[in-house]
Amino acid sequence: MQLDASRPGIGRPLDGVRVLAIEQMQALPFATQLLAFLGAEVVKIEHPVHGESGRGSRPQITDRDGRRVGATYLRNNLSKQSLGIDLKHPEGVALVKRLLPHFDVLAENFKADTMERLGLGYAALSEAHPRLVYVSISGFGHGPTPYADWPAYAPIVEAMAGLYEPNRKPGEPPPVVVAGALGDNASALYAAIGTLAALRQRDVTGRGQHVDIAMFDAMVAMTDMVPFMWSVGEPPSAATAGRTGIVGAFRAADGYFVMAIFREHQFEALARLLGHEGWLDDPRFATREGWAEYRESVVRPALEAWASERGKLEVCATLCGIDIPAGPSNVAEDLVRDPHVANRDMLVEVPRPDADRPMLVVGNPVKLSAASDGPITRYPSLGEHTEQVLQDTLGLEREELDALAEAGVISAPGESA
């Protein structure tokens, strides 16, 4: 899917909703980008000189304004406007307060006490703006917690929620997987759900509320099997994983595929496919536990011998055709070529100002039958919309804009492309 700011549509569900986002890195920017995909107008506040911290991530490209901008920013800020305001300047905080009556949502993802210290905490703002929906994402939330002062990145809360330990092998450290940032994106999804719920309740009551999302909470929800299985006497671990059924990654001619067999008719279908009907009368395979016990010594060699002459997509199509769940273990190039991904616009081409090849950013996974899917616009340059937002929203005149820029409160005119 290519960016297209002029696609005609029939409207989107969040048209008319305005979000003022004081955000950084990934968790909240991912959430507000999703809200923008659904039609919300998202105005992102950044420091007028160096921007939010996601701009400093790696790898980087050179933006239209000559600044270097990092990957975390590039993939989480489509369809937003950038408003350059220095919140360490009292006039910058005052400017935010002037903007608030014109917005439905204020969203932030700093440590739990940061906004209070700036005078922009929920308690103070909700009294002046009772309809305001105030959304927070932090490592450990705004309630009582022994971790209130701990910083949090995705791998930290993923580990704390028990995501890694079930995959740890005896004598080895738990594997830490950073591709995907589940701790960030899970938090983002719960923040988006909470925002929509609070807006819906405001429609009924006329009052907003505080949506308080802890990344740790989000990951506890994502890894729900860990405490549940422990509570029923079956704690998940590398030693106990796969004790029933046949679940694993297997080699094909061009890579790996993942197959999962948990039912007797699936095992029978696999045995017949591989020409090993004798397994059906073999006492070793009389139970699902037996399937798992002999997965490596018997099933894997037979399955991989058959798959070695076939590509992973062909293997999976054949297995799925006989009701055995399977899917290719894809690399990036596979996703780029995948017809499902293309048909559902799940990769958006974003032009690079410093290269001919476009970047690929994930599209909107929420498909609605009676709403327009777009337009999606490029990420904003730092402070790109400062004057436009302040003029259109607050009616600031040139003299006041120049004075604020001269004092370093907002981005100077012409600083961004």
Side-chain angles (χ1 to χ4, degrees), residues 43-394:
V43 176
K44 178 186 184 78
I45 292 180
E46 303 188 69
H47 188 279
V49 176
H50 52 71
E52 63 115 314
S53 54
R55 290 181 177 272
S57 63
R58 298 292 190 276
Q60 295 184 328
I61 69 167
T62 301
D63 202 358
R64 296 177 302 173
D65 57 7
R67 292 185 173 96
R68 299 290 286 174
V69 57
T72 301
Y73 187 90
L74 293 169
R75 69 179 189 270
N76 291 296
N77 289 284
L78 300 184
S79 295
K80 299 182 187 179
Q81 302 172 66
S82 175
L83 173 55
I85 298 180
D86 186 355
L87 295 180
K88 293 183 178 179
H89 200 297
E91 289 190 56
V93 173
L95 202 54
V96 171
K97 291 180 177 179
R98 290 172 65 183
L99 288 166
L100 281 177
H102 304 276
F103 285 82
D104 301 281
V105 178
L106 175 67
E108 59 89 17
N109 67 324
F110 293 91
K111 287 181 66 175
D113 62 345
T114 301
M115 293 293 279
E116 282 75 11
R117 288 191 284 104
L118 291 171
L120 295 173
Y122 172 69
L125 296 184
S126 64
E127 184 174 347
H129 308 286
R131 289 181 55 82
L132 181 68
V133 172
Y134 190 109
V135 181
S136 298
I137 298 180
S138 60
F140 304 99
H142 287 68
T145 173
Y147 313 119
D149 295 329
W150 291 22
Y153 281 148
I156 307 305
V157 294
E158 290 167 8
M160 294 178 71
L163 181 65
Y164 299 147
E165 281 294 326
N167 293 314
R168 181 167 64 84
K169 296 179 180 178
E172 298 181 7
V176 177
V177 180
V178 296
L182 181 61
D184 287 314
N185 291 357
S187 305
L189 295 179
Y190 289 121
I193 292 169
T195 300
L196 299 177
L199 287 170
R200 176 66 182 92
Q201 190 168 18
R202 191 187 70 173
D203 290 343
V204 176
T205 67
R207 296 191 63 87
Q209 59 188 292
H210 190 190
V211 179
D212 178 16
I213 305 296
M215 295 173 67
F216 188 17
D217 296 355
M219 281 310 305
V220 170
M222 287 288 105
T223 57
D224 67 299
M225 276 183 57
V226 172
F228 174 81
M229 296 299 287
W230 174 85
S231 73
V232 297
E234 295 284 344
S237 69
T240 60
R243 289 193 303 184
T244 63
I246 302 173
V247 183
F250 303 89
R251 184 183 290 276
D254 59 351
Y256 286 87
F257 63 97
V258 173
M259 182 186 74
I261 289 181
F262 293 113
R263 300 289 182 267
E264 281 69 19
H265 76 277
Q266 294 167 340
F267 181 77
E268 179 181 351
L270 179 69
R272 296 189 185 285
L273 174 69
L274 301 180
H276 285 278
E277 290 86 349
W279 290 353
L280 303 179
D281 299 318
D282 190 326
R284 295 177 299 175
F285 297 115
T287 65
R288 297 176 184 180
E289 288 76 12
W291 306 346
E293 181 178 353
Y294 292 98
R295 180 190 66 185
E296 295 302 315
S297 60
V298 179
V299 176
R300 180 180 293 277
L303 177 58
E304 291 190 343
W306 171 80
S308 66
E309 300 177 353
R310 299 165 174 83
K312 57 188 179 182
L313 273 175
E314 180 187 351
V315 167
C316 294
T318 301
L319 291 171
C320 290
I322 56 174
D323 200 29
I324 297 175
S329 183
N330 286 332
V331 297
E333 290 86 349
D334 297 322
L335 292 173
V336 172
R337 295 191 295 263
D338 191 285
H340 170 98
V341 173
N343 291 341
R344 294 180 68 84
D345 290 332
M346 280 309 302
L347 289 177
V348 178
E349 293 185 358
V350 180
R352 281 187 61 168
D354 61 349
D356 293 333
R357 182 180 179 180
M359 299 175 292
L360 296 176
V361 178
V362 297
N364 181 11
V366 180
K367 307 301 183 186
L368 301 172
S369 64
S372 172
D373 186 18
I376 294 175
T377 58
R378 74 181 300 279
Y379 62 90
S381 297
L382 178 56
E384 179 177 349
H385 304 93
T386 302
E387 289 195 11
Q388 174 189 332
V389 171
L390 295 178
Q391 286 175 334
D392 294 349
T393 304
L394 299 181

